[in-house]
Structures are given as C-alpha cells and as structure tokens.
Amino acid sequence: MKKLKNMEGEEEEDAAAAAAADDRPNNPFDALTEEIIHLILDRLGDDDPLAHKSFSLACKSFLSAESRHRRSLRPRCSDLLPLIPRRYPFISRLDLSLCPRVDDEALAALARSWSSTLRSVDLSRSRFFGHAGLSSLVANCAGLVEVDLSNATQLTDGAAKAIAEAKNLERLRMGRCKLITDMGVGCIAVGCRKLTLLCLKWCLRVSDLGVGLIAMKCADMRSLDLSYLPITEKSLQPVLKLRNLEELILEGCPGVHDDGLATLKESCPSLKVLNLSNCQNVSYVGLSSLTSEAQCLQQLILSYGSPVTADLGKSLHKFSGLQVVRLDACMVTCSGMKEMVNWSACLKELSLSKCVGVTDDCLSLLVQTQRELRKLDITCCRKITYASINSITSSCSSLCSLRMELCTLVSTDAYLLIGQRCQNLEELDLTDNDIDDEVLMSISRCSKLRILKLGICLKVTDDGLKHIGRHCLSLTELDLYRSMGITDASIAEIALGCPALEMINMAYNENVTDAALISLSKCPRLKALEIRGCPYVSSIGLSAIARGCRRLTLLDIKKCYNINDNGMLSLAQFSPNLRQINLSYCSVTDVGLLALASINCLQIMTILHVAGLTQSGLAAALLACRCLLKVKLHMSFKSSFPESLISYIEARGCVFQWRDKVRQEDEVSDGMRTRFI
C-alpha cells in the first residue's frame, strides 16, 4: 500500500506541477493542438524516459496528452500495476519484465483495462500466473499478436490450451517452459494458425509429435526455434515443407544426426538462417541434406560442432547469397579453410572465435577473397601472427567490428596497421594482448569507435588512452579491466571527450580514485560502472556518480572497502533506475542497505562478506525491496533467517542463491575474466 500511495503521490505532484505551469499568464502551450503535441512526442522516442516525464510536467495539457499518446510501457514494480491503466489508457505493448510477481488476478485486470488496444505482452521474467490469467488475457484482448512466456517454468499444458484461443497470435516465445508437452503444443498448433514465430527452446517434453503438428498446422511459420529439444529427422521432414520458413534453429539437438538427415527427401527453399551450433553429430552430410534446396541461405551457424573439413567447405560453394558464417570453437582444418576461399558468397560477417587450426596462411588467403567483410571475430586464434593482421587490414578496409582477444603471437607492430588502414571500425576488442601507447595512438584514428576493449593490456598507460579520449568522441563502451597503467588523468580525458559513454569497466586498478569518478559524473548517459577491486574509491566519488549519472542501471563496487552508507544514501536519492548491484566486501551497514532497498527498480543484489550488516537489518532490507528477482547471500544467513521469511520473499518472485565462499582480502589474477555477479 505504501508504494501505491507513493505512485498516487507522484501523480498528484505531476498534476500539481503541470497545474502550476498552466497558471502562468499567456501560456504559449495552449495554442498547440493535440496532434502537434503527439508529433513532438514521436520525436522524443523511448530512449530517455526522463524526457517524457519532463515534457509531461510542462503543463496540464501536456500531462494529459503524453498519457494518451503513450503506447509502450515497462512498469518498474508489480505493486504499481493496479494504477497504471488509469494514467495510460491506450497501451498496445506491455513489457512486464521488471515485475517478478504477476498473478492471475493482476493479469486479468490489465487485460480488461486494455482490451481494445493491447497487442503485445512480455511476461518473460514474471511468475505466479497460470492458465486462468492467460485465459483472461486471451479472452479480453482479441487483437493480441505477440506473447513472450519465456522462463515460465510453472506453466503446464493448461496454460498452452489457454494461449491456443488467441486466434490472431503471430509471435509466441516459450523458451524454458519445461512442463509443456506435445499435448499443449498441439493445442497451440490447432488454435494459432497465424503463427509466424515460435520459440520452444529448452521445452524438454516436446518431441517429434508436437513439432510435427506445428509444421502441419502453421503454414505461415517464418521463424522456428527448436533448440535442445529431443527431436529427430521425423519432425524435420514436415518442418522443411514449410514454404515460408526463413529461420530454423536446431542448436543442441542430440537426436539430429547425419544418418537421419540423409533420409530427408525435401529441403526448404525459403530458408535464410540455419543454426546447427552444438550439433556434434551433424557433418557436411547432414548439412547438405538440410540445405539441398536452400538457395536463399544468408546465415549459417555451426559453432561448437563438427570439424570444418574440405568436404564441408565444398558443400557450401553453391550458396552465393551467404553473408554470415559462424564457426566458433570448431576444429578448422587447413583444407577446409582453403575450400572456403573458393566460395562464391560475399561474406559480411565471419566468426572463427576459439577455432583450433586457424593459421596465417589459411586466414590470409580467406580474407583476400572476402574484401567486403564488416565483422570478423578471431578471438583466441593463438597461431596467427603479424601476417594475418597485415592481410586483414589491407584486404578488409570496410571492417566495422574486429574482435581479437588473446591473439598472443601477434606483435605490437601489427596492431599499428589497424589504425592506419581500418578507420571505419566501430568495435575493437584487444583484450589481453601485447599493445602499448603507440598502438592506442594509432587506433585513435578510428574516430567512429563506439566499443573499445583493453582489458588486461598491461603496457597501456595514460599517454595512450588520452589519444582515445581526444579523438574517439563517439565511444559508448570502454573496458579497462586490470589495465593497471591507467590513472585518473586519462579517465578525465575520456569523460571530457566522450560524453556519450554508457559503460566503463575499471575493475582491479589501484590507481583509480574518487577523482576518476568525479570526472565520469559528467557523462549523463552512463548506465554501467564496474569498479570492483578499486580500493581508493570512496563514497565521495560514488555520490558524484549518483548525482550526475541518473541513468545508472548496473553497479559493481565489490571490494571497494571505502564505500559506506553515504554512498548508498546517494544512490537511493539520485539513482532511481539502478537494477543490479554487487556490494560485497564494502563498508555498508543496515542503514545503507535499507536506503538502497527504497529503489523501486532494484532487481539483483550480491551481498557477500559485508561485515557491517546484521541479520535483522538484512532481513528488513529484503522485505523492503519488493522487486528483487535474485539475491546472492552467504550461507550463514540461511540458517539464521526464519524459514517463513525466506518463503515469503520467494513467494514474491525472488530467487535466493546461497554461497559458502571464504572471505578473500585479495583476489589473484589468473588471466581469466571476472564476470559481474
């Protein structure tokens, strides 16, 4: 009730502010028609929700017009759902991914409120609804064309039967609905004849029978995801008869193998995208059977599959329209790559990440025949040297994305060629390579760079990074993980020269202090900040970030020992969009955590070895933080919390992850990336 009252209070405040604007003499906004106001709102777009709020506060007519104009909505909290339809009466696309608890009653109420307008609903991160809520949704919203039920592990065939009544449904996602069986899928096949997209990934109880029914009944199907299903060639036979099928995803299907595919009598001529990644039993024989008539094939994904042999290379000669090929983690033979050289296709994207067998000779030959490449991934190709980079940069001058993490044999001189020859680059990953300041000076010529990853580049210093800040003004993402030659000075240059910065990772850098954070606070678009293991940052710097970066959604401050309650209070006051935080090992007490819990958007927290917390303070914070989806805690709290408390919080949609991790004062680098937890 408190949050409902808060929303009512916000609406009253908005109305009061708008009314105050109306009281001004000769209000110029009164002359604008609603049509003109809607045109203005169209230009604002959906990227910045604060822009819409500011607009609605201009005057009362703007407040009303913005409410009637809005068609897409993403509520921050389940508790707010009852009041939303009153404010926004014409919603057509409803995204409930920030609402962990949506029960049948709430879903039915929303369906009744927007019965004539609602066309798309995203329930991919919501729980506690079932067939009753879905029945109400379908019965009230005849115009429904898209539903996302991914991760709804509680749904059974009864829910599928309810969805089957949505006769106009075109797109349905049911990934990880593990209780749905062939019977439920069969109901959908019979009832939803207009389906063009269906995702059944990880629906482990769906077999050939259910997939076959979909293929026979849904003739307009264009995209079908059957990843990790226990299916065989029996269901693929009718699937390949779908005349409009453009995308077929068979990732990780153990029952799909060469012997079965060889019996197929038909292939789908309209197929444009085929994903056979992680299908270890499919070689060029099975691939040829699947694609015998697929002359329109544009994307082929064979990652984590069989070796790339000469026979496989030959089998793809005929696909002149092929644009994207991904062979990640495949064993690549020299003869296989030489056959790829003879392809008639003009590739736009090629991924060879973690491919064992890629050598200078083969890669050089390949890129010389694929001069239109725009994206190339050679991550962990540890046999390539200067020769490969020389060929890539001289042949593929139109590259906009180059990923080459851990190419350990490439010399420093080779990296200079990137800046000299590939100045259209927008993404460059040089993580864990032997680069220095001279390389960064060369790369700074790539003025279109948006994403730059320099993690574990130990020779990089301020002198090099300053060039990036002065010349790469479009930078939105910068990774400096464990690049310990960087200090506050170059971060200041980045903040000054790259105002569009959205993400920066400075984890495990003892040279970064509050001065760097104060500089970054001038980047108003900053959404993700990772500063774990930076011992000299404190609440002073974090408070500056909170005040200046109001769009902050992800924050990692693990092992920032000088961040205390003052930093949490600033976040609570100025960071309403914060969704994910790791505050393990920080100097936060119950006061700070309770303040943090007041942030309505907060969904994921990691709280390990925070010595200032008490059992009662942590319990109070968890109770106050009503939108939590996941919280990671030390195992010691599990035994001390009442079982009823844990059950109550889980019933709201939160998942507990218990860790029995020993406290570590220092984390030793092993050359591997530490992911945000």
Side-chain angles (χ1 to χ4, degrees), residues 554-569:
L554 183 150
L555 179 63
D556 187 351
I557 51 175
K558 177 181 178 180
K559 295 193 175 182
C560 294
Y561 306 110
N562 293 318
I563 290 181
N564 56 29
D565 291 342
N566 291 332
M568 300 302 103
L569 291 168

Side-chain angles (χ1 to χ4, degrees), residues 3 68-69 220 242 269 301 314 321 349 371-372 421 474 478 500 513 522 562 578 591 600 626-627 638:
K3 288 195 175 178
R68 292 193 300 275
H69 174 270
D220 294 330
L242 291 167
I301 304 171
K314 289 177 183 178
E349 179 179 341
R371 294 179 176 271
E372 299 301 316
R421 299 173 180 174
S474 300
L478 179 60
T513 71
K522 306 298 191 296
N562 293 318
L578 190 64
V591 173
N600 290 337
R626 299 186 61 85
C627 294
K638 185 175 184 179

